[in-house]
Amino acid sequence: MRLCQLADKSGEIIVTTEALRLSLLQGHWFSHLPAALQDALLAATCERSLDAGQRLFRRGDPPCGLYAVLEGAIRIGAVSRTGKEALLTLVEAPQWFGEISLFDGQPRTHDAFAEGPTRLLLVPQAELLTLLEREPAYWREFALLLSQKLRLAFIALEDMSLLPAAPRLARRLLLMAEGYGETGERRNLHLAQEQLALMLALSRQTTNQILKELQARGAVRLNYGEIEIIDLQLLRQAADTDG
């Protein structure tokens, strides 16, 4: 198994593909890929390191490939001409993203910036397309990645249309605590209240009020730049509009 040479601004680091595999296997999608496809993706990857706030790509940029987060997080969103920001999601390790442009070859749909110091793996678009031309059956695996994102988008749209602010916020925290179905359960969400407000199109004041109510009930604990999940069952009750 070949070595994948990774670099950051402090110098070069040599990491075996097996170490990368073990890291990526923590995610649901990669762990369910055929071993041959895992090998092919790892053989084609190169690393990118970003500083906090550094742009990965902008809406309208040409497709460049598929990314996986190794460390840190990527902020996916958009800013209107008037400066109003929409935050769709924070992509964290070991999640993959960028598959929409793989399918349609069209420009990037949103902006992507590093939330903090971030390490990424990139599988270039040309190498992906060559692989898929050689092994067309692998398209299904990428379709599963895309369909999971589409399912989550439909859930978010439904919640936005039908749910009051409090259960909508609780449901988003639940999805994040459950890793959006991609990673294992997490109790510490590295998420500022301002970011959560942007995700849900709520005011900062409303978001803070709901979070303080959840904290008073013992469901969460609010820390600086972090929301700690204390009791998942209480959070589920808060998210249950039928209860």
Side-chain angles (χ1 to χ4, degrees), residues 11-27:
E12 291 188 347
I13 306 171
I14 302 299
V15 180
T16 65
T17 54
E18 189 60 30
L20 292 177
R21 188 195 304 274
L22 289 174
S23 177
L24 294 171
L25 282 172
Q26 302 304 309

Side-chain angles (χ1 to χ4, degrees), residues 73 97-98 143 167 180 191 219 226-227 236:
F97 66 100
Y180 291 109
L191 180 74
E226 179 183 272
I227 301 171
R236 290 190 181 97

Side-chain angles (χ1 to χ4, degrees), residues 151-211:
R151 184 181 297 273
L152 292 169
F154 280 147
I155 291 172
L157 284 171
E158 180 180 338
D159 288 352
M160 191 77 72
S161 299
L162 300 179
L163 293 183
R168 179 153 48 98
L169 184 149
R171 285 188 62 163
R172 179 58 67 96
L173 290 181
L174 264 179
L175 280 172
M176 296 182 71
E178 294 168 350
Y180 291 109
E182 171 63 17
T183 59
E185 182 181 299
R186 297 186 303 157
R187 291 302 181 109
N188 294 293
L189 308 179
H190 300 292
L191 180 74
Q193 294 185 32
E194 293 86 352
Q195 293 172 325
L196 183 59
L198 285 172
M199 285 183 182
L200 298 170
L202 298 173
S203 70
R204 170 71 172 77
Q205 293 76 13
T206 298
T207 301
N208 179 257
Q209 178 182 349
I210 296 170
L211 286 171

Side-chain angles (χ1 to χ4, degrees), residues 13-243:
I13 306 171
I14 302 299
V15 180
T16 65
T17 54
E18 189 60 30
L20 292 177
R21 188 195 304 274
L22 289 174
S23 177
L24 294 171
L25 282 172
Q26 302 304 309
H28 178 83
W29 180 72
F30 187 84
S31 68
H32 285 73
L33 295 180
L37 179 52
Q38 291 181 4
D39 290 341
L41 291 176
L42 289 170
T45 57
C46 57
E47 183 182 299
R48 290 199 60 183
S49 294
L50 302 177
D51 295 326
Q54 187 175 350
R55 175 173 64 90
L56 179 63
F57 55 75
R58 288 190 189 277
R59 169 182 283 175
D61 281 355
C64 52
L66 189 67
Y67 288 95
V69 180
L70 293 177
E71 295 177 2
I74 292 292
R75 181 188 185 101
I76 305 291
V79 179
S80 72
R81 293 180 180 177
T82 60
K84 185 175 181 180
E85 183 180 5
L87 175 60
L88 300 184
T89 190
L90 289 175
V91 185
E92 300 179 283
Q95 295 175 328
W96 293 76
F97 66 100
E99 68 280 357
I100 292 176
S101 292
L102 171 64
F103 276 87
D104 62 15
Q106 296 299 305
R108 295 298 188 185
T109 59
H110 292 87
D111 304 322
F113 291 84
E115 180 62 19
T118 301
R119 291 175 56 228
L120 302 159
L121 286 182
L122 167 64
V123 185
Q125 186 92 342
E127 297 198 34
L128 279 171
L129 292 175
T130 298
L131 169 64
L132 290 165
E133 184 176 356
R134 187 171 67 246
E135 298 287 350
Y138 287 159
W139 274 111
R140 179 181 182 276
E141 306 301 334
F142 294 96
L144 290 174
L145 180 63
L146 180 64
S147 65
Q148 171 66 4
K149 306 283 183 63
L150 184 59
R151 184 181 297 273
L152 292 169
F154 280 147
I155 291 172
L157 284 171
E158 180 180 338
D159 288 352
M160 191 77 72
S161 299
L162 300 179
L163 293 183
R168 179 153 48 98
L169 184 149
R171 285 188 62 163
R172 179 58 67 96
L173 290 181
L174 264 179
L175 280 172
M176 296 182 71
E178 294 168 350
Y180 291 109
E182 171 63 17
T183 59
E185 182 181 299
R186 297 186 303 157
R187 291 302 181 109
N188 294 293
L189 308 179
H190 300 292
L191 180 74
Q193 294 185 32
E194 293 86 352
Q195 293 172 325
L196 183 59
L198 285 172
M199 285 183 182
L200 298 170
L202 298 173
S203 70
R204 170 71 172 77
Q205 293 76 13
T206 298
T207 301
N208 179 257
Q209 178 182 349
I210 296 170
L211 286 171
K212 285 186 174 179
E213 291 172 356
L214 289 173
Q215 181 170 249
R217 293 171 62 177
V220 303
R221 179 181 296 122
L222 305 179
N223 304 311
Y224 181 74
E226 179 183 272
I227 301 171
E228 182 181 356
I229 309 300
I230 302 299
D231 192 319
L232 273 174
Q233 186 56 38
L234 286 175
L235 193 58
R236 290 190 181 97
Q237 291 174 9
D240 183 7
T241 56
D242 296 326

